Amino acid sequence: MTQARIPLIVILSTTLSFCASCGTNSGSSTSTPGTASPTPTVEVAKVTSKKLSITTRLPGELQAYEAVAVFPKVTAYVDSISVDRGSRVKAGQLMARLVAPEVAAQRAEAQSKLQAAEAQRAEAEAKLASDQSTYDRLKSASATPGVVAGNDLEIAQKGAEADRARLQALRESAEAAKSALKSVTEIEGYLQVRAPFDGIVTERNVHPGSLVGPATNGSGAAMPMLRVEKTARLRLVVPVPEKYATGINVGSKVEFSVPAFPSQTFAGTIARVAHSVDVKTRTMPVELDVNNSDGRLSSGMFPEVLWPVRRTEPTLFVPTSAVARTTEATFVIRIRGGNTEWVNVQTGELDDKSIEVFGGLHEGDEVAARGTDELRAGTHVVTKQVTEAATGK
């Protein structure tokens, strides 16, 4: 009797446990569909409008304000040279003497021709004066009928006219001979090589006894005798990228530094703008004038220029974190009417924690402060204004 009751109790316990578990599962399955998903909260920032005013670093090159490669104008030998690399020269200072014997011979020949032309001119003047006097006397005597034959008077007149024409020709010949002598004299002056302006000799390629000639003499000699540069004033050439080529104000001061003086800053003034973009580099050359009266800077240095970037018109800015990028698009998420929408944009320059954007945005629009492609378009959200510290204002 006792043994029959034990299986019955086990069966009842098992049945009650199964029923309890079924009741629990049934209750939990009915409660899940009734639970609502919470609306996400998104921090937003307003789209602002302002004129871009930042500074970027660009490479530049210092060049001499004036630089001349000194070539001789005649083929000659170097007799003496009084300057060397690093010599400071004044405008008109004698730097080298050349010798060319054939030039001296040409000068002597031209002088001889001028003297001969002057003698012939003087002889023609004397003959004209004589023939003119004869004609005047015959003409005076012809006033009395029968004293002078008409033919004689006409011959005297024609002779005086011929003398006058010959004298004019000889005068022109004398002027030509004088010009030829002047030309040879000037060529002889080229044998003295003088400095074109105040500056420094930066290159010397000849020594006494060297044969030198013009750069275009066809001999292939393209190396100058000397090179002189004006370094008291320098040109700082900056290749400005095309996207920075607007808002350049002539007369503005621009700072730069050079590796030779890493702890110092120099300044130049924007003086010349090319107004033409190089199609190969997509940059616009801009020249700055740099005062170098103390001679600390040198041509050929490559400074780093703190170039001011300005926009002529205001542009739109959003926090840098608001811009989202995928393999297909760059966009910001605008919140309008509590719903999200993706707006494709192009980015520009960074200004602290803000970035320029160009696209279908307007000043005052609210955009998600943290753009991400996980926040899909058309999502209903609750907005929360981001703090100013987060936007970088």
Side-chain angles (χ1 to χ4, degrees):
M1 186 70 179
T2 305
Q3 294 178 350
R5 289 178 179 176
I6 293 174
L8 180 60
I9 294 172
V10 172
I11 292 171
L12 290 173
S13 300
T14 304
T15 303
L16 290 174
S17 300
F18 177 77
C19 291
S21 63
C22 290
T24 304
N25 291 340
S26 175
S28 61
S29 62
T30 56
S31 62
T32 301
T35 304
S37 299
T39 302
T41 300
V42 176
E43 289 187 336
V44 297
K46 289 187 178 295
V47 178
T48 59
S49 175
K50 62 180 179 179
K51 286 186 178 182
L52 179 69
S53 180
I54 62 173
T55 300
T56 188
R57 296 178 181 273
L58 297 177
E61 181 184 359
L62 285 172
Q63 298 178 358
Y65 192 78
E66 292 181 357
V68 172
V70 180
F71 288 89
K73 295 184 179 181
V74 294
T75 302
Y77 288 95
V78 178
D79 182 52
S80 64
I81 183 166
S82 58
V83 296
D84 209 329
R85 194 188 303 268
S87 299
R88 294 186 178 273
V89 295
K90 297 291 185 180
Q93 178 180 332
L94 181 64
M95 298 188 296
R97 291 183 184 274
L98 310 179
V99 291
E102 60 274 17
V103 175
Q106 291 174 5
R107 184 176 186 280
E109 181 182 359
Q111 193 166 7
S112 176
K113 288 182 178 180
L114 175 60
Q115 291 175 351
E118 291 287 352
Q120 291 176 355
R121 181 185 59 79
E123 181 183 353
E125 286 179 347
K127 190 172 185 306
L128 173 60
S130 175
D131 290 347
Q132 182 68 38
S133 177
T134 301
Y135 169 71
D136 291 340
R137 286 195 299 270
L138 291 176
K139 185 177 181 181
S140 177
S142 66
T144 303
V147 174
V148 177
N151 186 46
D152 292 342
L153 181 61
E154 185 175 352
I155 290 174
Q157 181 181 4
K158 296 298 182 183
E161 291 176 356
D163 291 341
R164 191 173 291 108
R166 182 170 179 270
L167 176 60
Q168 181 61 30
L170 290 174
R171 282 175 176 170
E172 292 177 357
S173 296
E175 288 297 324
K178 187 181 295 183
S179 298
L181 177 60
K182 181 180 178 182
S183 176
V184 174
T185 303
E186 290 178 352
I187 292 175
E188 195 173 29
Y190 296 154
L191 297 176
Q192 295 184 347
V193 181
R194 299 184 178 276
F197 46 73
D198 295 354
I200 297 177
V201 177
T202 60
E203 186 178 332
R204 169 180 163 172
N205 300 308
V206 297
H207 302 278
S210 301
L211 177 63
V212 295
T216 57
N217 62 359
S219 64
M223 186 176 293
M225 293 177 56
L226 303 163
R227 185 179 297 275
V228 181
E229 295 184 0
K230 179 182 287 187
T231 58
R233 185 181 178 188
L234 297 174
R235 299 173 187 261
L236 174 52
V237 182
V238 184
V240 179
E242 182 179 2
K243 63 179 180 178
Y244 299 150
T246 60
I248 300 176
N249 297 321
V250 175
S252 300
K253 294 284 186 181
V254 177
E255 294 184 341
F256 64 93
S257 60
V258 294
F261 303 98
S263 61
Q264 297 184 24
T265 301
F266 302 88
T269 304
I270 298 177
R272 289 163 292 278
V273 182
H275 297 292
S276 177
V277 176
D278 188 332
V279 296
K280 295 181 180 179
T281 62
R282 307 309 306 169
T283 59
M284 179 186 294
V286 178
E287 286 190 5
L288 285 69
D289 284 346
V290 178
N291 182 14
N292 189 40
S293 56
D294 56 3
R296 302 184 69 193
L297 300 174
S298 302
S299 62
M301 286 183 170
F302 288 94
E304 186 178 62
V305 183
L306 301 177
W307 188 256
V309 179
R310 305 286 184 267
R311 298 279 192 227
T312 55
E313 299 293 336
T315 52
L316 299 179
F317 286 82
V318 297
T320 54
S321 59
V323 180
R325 292 177 173 85
T326 66
T327 57
E328 299 177 352
T330 299
F331 61 93
V332 297
I333 302 173
R334 179 167 55 192
I335 313 300
R336 180 179 287 180
N339 295 316
T340 61
E341 56 182 19
W342 287 11
V343 180
N344 291 335
V345 295
Q346 292 181 344
T347 57
E349 299 302 314
L350 287 170
D351 187 357
D352 196 13
K353 295 183 179 180
S354 299
I355 188 171
E356 274 185 308
V357 289
F358 306 94
L361 294 175
H362 302 88
E363 183 179 5
D365 285 351
E366 291 186 337
V367 297
R370 292 175 178 81
T372 173
D373 58 351
E374 295 179 359
L375 186 58
R376 310 304 297 179
T379 303
H380 186 71
V381 297
V382 176
T383 61
K384 175 185 176 182
Q385 194 68 32
V386 72
T387 61
E388 290 189 355
T391 61
K393 292 183 181 178

